[in-house]
Amino acid sequence: MMSHLDLSGCKKRKRGETVFKFKTFGQRGYPAEFNGSFLQNVRELLEFGQVETHLSGAMTSWSFQLEVFRHPSLHVLLFVIEEPIELSFHHHCQHCQYIGWGHHMICNKKYHFLLPSKNTIPACLSHDNTNSMCKSNLIGLQGHTMHGVFHSNGFGHLLCINGLETGSDLAGYQIMEFWDRLCAGLGARKVSFKDTSQKKGMDLRLLHAVAYGKPWFGRWDYVFGRGSFGINLDMYESAVKALQNVPLCLLAHHLDARKNDILILLSRYQILSGHSLITLGDLFNFMLELTLEVPKDSSTTYSSQYPGLILSDTSCRWSPKRVEMAIRVVIQALKRAELRWVSRQEVRDAARAYIGDTGLLDFVLKSLGNHIVGKYYVRRCLNPVTKVLEYCLEDISNEFPKQEEFLMVTNEAKLKPHQKVTWVQLMKDIISLYKNVLVEQKEMTSAEGLGTISVASRIILDTKYFFKEYGGEFGSKSVVNKSKLYCAVVWSTCDGGALSLVKVATPYECFILENNATFDELKVEVQKTFREIYLGLRNFIAESVTGFNLKGTDLVFEMVRPGGKITFEGIEGQREIVNSGIYEGLTSNFVVDCGCGTKYDDGERMVCCDICDVWQHTRCVQIPNSEEIPNIFLCKTCEQDILHFPSIP
């Protein structure tokens, strides 16, 4: 496979430019030591980059050539674009607002990290000054293989990753490992991500939540950040557990006749698993894990290494011949029930006339539930009234006459299970199960124990914002003959003519100092650093250290232990700060009061009442996404108030 990037066409690229290893790029020590604060680490990294003068207009840009494979050759380009606040289209970050970081102060700069795709690489390498795409709009282009952005204080957002399904030469997990390594190496604090990823039409955050209890990005420790439509962490976790713990026996019992293909599916993977699949989470987990084993060659089949679920169970202490005999006896007993539901005890008593070993009968009855045997599907379910296990035999031969290859083939002499699955069939089954059980389960919503599936699925789908905490500010290594200190700032502002201390939401920054550094020297560094990072602190003046009565000539590490934390107090004019709008969250009169409980802008589509100016979700006021927002809209409260107006004579 050759690289899809035509790097030779870029005249500005130097011959002999350094090529870095994709698989290790971003690790500490490669290419930089990454031993300072986030901003220091970024600048150290950029010293190894190739300056790009025609990439993003007035914004400074760098590039790195990364080797994914040597044989066959595959290279990708990483672009880093420095976006000053003065050149930004939007001073406020909507990604911070949606994840709940609206209280963060606006930073002076952002750093965009881009892996361009086949479609966006021409814009990156173009030197045509008339091409608007090679200007600042480059960071707004859709379709990059990867696009992440960091604020200069170390908080960041992963905006997109696009793997093999979009034509990339990199798989999704390769891109995520690269991004995760980069975040850790640079010393990022927290990184958010809006998860709308899909595969073959399935939302991965729902599919993986059922199978693994966490989203696909949870493999890299991304966790719940913020839900839309009033969803909180407790609701999300409860929904995940509810879906994972849906009993398959209950599910099979309430599927109507049109869903018998799902019954066959359940039996197929029970047999392939070699162990009992009890819950919906067990089934999805096994099927997704199986995708890692089944060859993608459509002509290759996967056969279970077990001769059948019951015969291969490690807890089975009986010979295959005795188990087969017991299965036939149980099936005959259920046949005599003429397809009606009978209790476990009735089946057991009828079978004891032929099988004296009650332990063997108990084992078979436990293992046989919700399996296909010959032309029958053995249903097992807990009676919701009597709370007793019941069994029923359903003849499915007429409805699926061509499905013999999926059945456990049996005859009067011997039971011989036989199951195979191809990659195509496996993916088809996963999609079918996802669609019929998780998405289109209206016929089951009234069933006891299954009514929560629709609600739980909706809650998980309404949870899109996740984040990972890297803790980069405290992750750097020690330095010889120097010590580290972590500093934050607060400032005093004028409030009604009196001075009152107002804490500014700044995280601690790492400072590496000589062991004999004084507080005067530290104060200079603190002022310089925080002025450089935050828009609202460009004129910050550090005056004193909270909790200390000291002189500027005092040695820092005689008063504070290395690795400790201190806070500087200072002065900054409030009027200038307020007018400049220094926080990521919008401070306008944007009032949200939706019936779902949401009190903030969560990024979902909203409509504003033309009387009270209060915003609500269009979904919550019954406006489908397929319809345009009406030109005039009244909320229910205002509508009721109008109805109660006295009539005009």
Side-chain angles (χ1 to χ4, degrees):
M1 180 192 305
M2 295 300 293
S3 169
H4 69 259
L5 303 181
D6 184 11
L7 305 183
S8 61
C10 185
K11 298 179 181 179
K12 288 292 182 179
R13 307 208 70 82
K14 293 181 180 180
R15 179 174 296 182
E17 177 187 346
T18 304
V19 178
F20 301 95
K21 299 292 185 182
F22 177 83
K23 293 183 179 179
T24 54
F25 188 86
Q27 290 181 352
R28 287 196 170 166
Y30 188 78
E33 289 299 323
F34 299 132
N35 198 35
S37 65
F38 172 80
L39 192 55
Q40 291 168 344
N41 291 338
V42 170
R43 288 174 174 169
E44 187 180 1
L45 172 65
L46 296 180
E47 291 178 1
F48 293 86
Q50 171 73 29
V51 177
E52 298 287 345
T53 57
H54 295 276
L55 182 60
S56 53
M59 298 182 190
T60 308
S61 309
W62 297 262
S63 66
F64 299 82
Q65 189 175 166
L66 309 178
E67 181 185 73
V68 182
F69 301 114
R70 178 171 295 181
H71 301 293
S73 176
L74 176 60
H75 292 75
V76 295
L77 284 177
L78 170 68
F79 290 101
V80 182
I81 302 174
E82 183 183 71
E83 180 186 5
I85 189 67
E86 292 81 6
L87 298 179
S88 178
F89 289 115
H90 305 286
H91 286 191
H92 300 277
C93 177
Q94 64 177 0
H95 307 292
C96 282
Q97 187 168 329
Y98 296 156
I99 193 63
W101 300 343
H103 61 286
H104 289 188
M105 295 178 65
I106 296 175
C107 292
N108 286 315
K109 293 180 180 179
K110 298 176 186 175
Y111 292 90
H112 295 262
F113 286 74
L114 304 171
L115 289 176
S117 66
K118 297 176 182 178
N119 295 327
T120 60
I121 189 62
C124 297
L125 298 182
S126 173
H127 296 152
D128 182 2
N129 291 331
T130 63
N131 185 354
S132 61
M133 288 197 302
C134 67
K135 299 298 183 182
S136 58
N137 287 341
L138 178 62
I139 60 179
L141 282 179
Q142 302 297 314
H144 293 299
T145 296
M146 186 201 79
H147 185 183
V149 61
F150 294 103
H151 301 281
S152 52
N153 63 356
F155 288 87
H157 314 282
L158 176 58
L159 304 184
C160 76
I161 66 166
N162 291 295
L164 297 175
E165 288 195 348
T166 61
S168 171
D169 290 329
L170 297 174
Y173 77 90
Q174 291 176 300
I175 304 170
M176 273 305 299
E177 287 176 356
F178 174 79
W179 170 253
D180 191 56
R181 188 167 60 247
L182 193 62
C183 292
L186 291 174
R189 300 176 189 273
K190 295 180 181 180
V191 175
S192 76
F193 179 66
K194 181 181 179 180
D195 185 4
T196 56
S197 55
Q198 292 188 334
K199 184 172 185 178
K200 298 187 181 300
M202 299 180 289
D203 287 285
L204 292 184
R205 64 187 182 281
L206 175 58
L207 182 64
H208 281 256
V210 180
Y212 302 106
K214 57 186 180 182
W216 183 75
F217 294 90
R219 295 168 57 182
W220 294 273
D221 300 322
Y222 279 76
V223 297
F224 177 93
R226 208 179 203 186
S228 302
F229 301 100
I231 306 301
N232 57 38
L233 177 59
D234 289 338
M235 295 170 64
Y236 174 74
E237 291 180 340
S238 298
V240 172
K241 291 179 182 178
L243 280 185
Q244 284 191 300
N245 293 328
V246 171
L248 290 180
C249 62
L250 195 63
L251 184 68
H253 176 66
H254 288 285
L255 286 170
D256 61 21
R258 294 171 298 171
K259 303 296 183 181
N260 271 337
D261 53 337
I262 300 296
L263 299 181
I264 293 176
L265 184 154
L266 295 179
S267 179
R268 176 186 303 141
Y269 291 97
Q270 284 279 14
I271 297 169
L272 283 172
S273 70
H275 61 276
S276 184
L277 302 176
I278 306 298
T279 66
L280 191 61
D282 294 338
L283 178 59
F284 270 108
N285 179 275
F286 174 71
M287 294 175 77
L288 291 190
E289 288 296 307
L290 200 58
T291 61
L292 305 177
E293 300 182 32
V294 178
K296 293 188 178 182
D297 180 5
S298 60
S299 63
T300 305
T301 59
Y302 173 89
S303 302
S304 174
Q305 58 181 317
Y306 303 98
L309 172 64
I310 301 176
L311 302 183
S312 66
D313 196 313
T314 56
S315 64
C316 179
R317 63 178 186 270
W318 296 274
S319 67
K321 185 175 181 179
R322 294 190 64 192
V323 173
E324 291 167 4
M325 175 61 73
I327 291 175
R328 289 199 296 272
V329 169
V330 170
I331 295 298
Q332 290 301 321
L334 290 173
K335 282 183 180 180
R336 288 193 293 271
E338 297 180 348
L339 306 182
R340 66 181 176 86
W341 285 93
V342 293
S343 69
R344 177 184 180 278
Q345 190 62 45
E346 289 182 66
V347 180
R348 190 173 185 269
D349 291 343
R352 282 201 63 186
Y354 304 92
I355 304 294
D357 190 337
T358 56
L360 173 59
L361 285 177
D362 290 339
F363 172 78
V364 169
L365 287 171
K366 175 184 176 182
S367 305
L368 198 58
N370 301 315
H371 275 68
I372 295 176
V373 180
K375 65 178 182 177
Y376 298 103
Y377 186 83
V378 183
R379 290 180 177 268
R380 181 181 65 182
C381 184
L382 186 69
N383 189 305
V385 178
T386 64
K387 306 301 179 183
V388 172
L389 274 177
E390 294 183 346
Y391 290 79
C392 179
L393 210 59
E394 180 179 348
D395 189 342
I396 61 174
S397 60
N398 293 330
E399 297 171 5
F400 294 93
K402 296 182 179 181
Q403 297 292 333
E404 289 82 2
E405 66 268 24
F406 297 143
L407 307 182
M408 293 179 62
V409 182
T410 183
N411 52 43
E412 293 299 319
K414 190 174 182 181
L415 181 72
K416 294 182 179 180
H418 180 68
Q419 288 288 337
K420 292 182 178 181
V421 66
T422 64
W423 167 264
V424 173
Q425 182 65 50
L426 176 59
M427 292 307 301
K428 179 181 177 182
D429 289 343
I430 292 175
I431 294 171
S432 177
L433 192 66
Y434 174 91
K435 177 181 177 182
N436 290 298
V437 176
L438 298 181
V439 180
E440 299 177 2
Q441 64 295 86
K442 294 180 180 179
E443 69 274 6
M444 297 187 295
T445 55
S446 60
E448 182 176 346
L450 294 179
T452 59
I453 291 181
S454 177
V455 176
S457 295
R458 186 71 264 165
I459 289 174
I460 295 173
L461 289 174
D462 286 341
T463 302
K464 303 173 185 176
Y465 295 97
F466 300 86
F467 80 98
K468 176 174 180 176
E469 185 165 2
Y470 287 89
E473 64 267 44
F474 305 117
S476 54
K477 299 181 293 184
S478 60
V479 181
V480 179
N481 297 326
K482 293 185 179 181
S483 297
K484 294 182 179 178
L485 194 66
Y486 299 95
C487 303
V489 300
V490 297
W491 71 69
S492 297
T493 61
C494 297
D495 185 12
L499 288 179
S500 60
L501 192 65
V502 178
K503 290 187 177 180
V504 180
T506 59
Y508 286 92
E509 291 292 333
C510 175
F511 292 86
I512 302 176
L513 306 172
E514 299 287 346
N515 290 331
N516 60 351
T518 66
F519 275 97
D520 279 340
E521 293 170 335
L522 175 59
K523 184 188 297 184
V524 171
E525 290 299 316
V526 167
Q527 289 180 166
K528 176 184 176 183
T529 298
F530 282 94
R531 288 176 180 178
E532 197 171 28
I533 294 177
Y534 296 104
L535 174 66
L537 297 180
R538 286 183 173 181
N539 299 316
F540 176 75
I541 300 175
E543 291 192 325
S544 60
V545 180
T546 303
F548 289 88
N549 184 15
L550 46 81
K551 298 178 181 179
T553 56
D554 290 341
L555 297 180
V556 174
F557 295 110
E558 285 186 356
M559 307 292 292
V560 185
R561 62 177 177 80
K565 299 178 182 179
I566 61 174
T567 302
F568 277 83
E569 300 177 16
I571 295 177
E572 180 69 286
Q574 183 184 17
R575 185 179 302 275
E576 179 182 350
I577 293 174
V578 172
N579 290 340
S580 63
I582 65 168
Y583 296 101
E584 296 290 2
L586 296 173
T587 57
S588 62
N589 297 324
F590 186 85
V591 179
V592 178
D593 188 9
C594 190
C596 66
T598 300
K599 304 293 184 182
Y600 51 84
D601 183 7
D602 57 6
E604 301 296 337
R605 194 172 77 140
M606 290 188 174
V607 61
C608 180
C609 176
D610 288 294
I611 293 180
C612 64
D613 290 331
V614 173
W615 292 79
Q616 301 178 73
H617 294 119
T618 54
R619 191 178 89 182
C620 297
V621 295
Q622 309 303 314
I623 301 177
N625 288 333
S626 58
E627 295 182 8
E628 293 185 0
I629 295 176
N631 294 326
I632 298 176
F633 172 77
L634 301 182
C635 66
K636 286 187 177 180
T637 301
C638 293
E639 203 172 46
Q640 291 299 319
D641 290 344
I642 291 176
L643 292 176
H644 288 90
F645 282 172
S647 59
I648 300 175

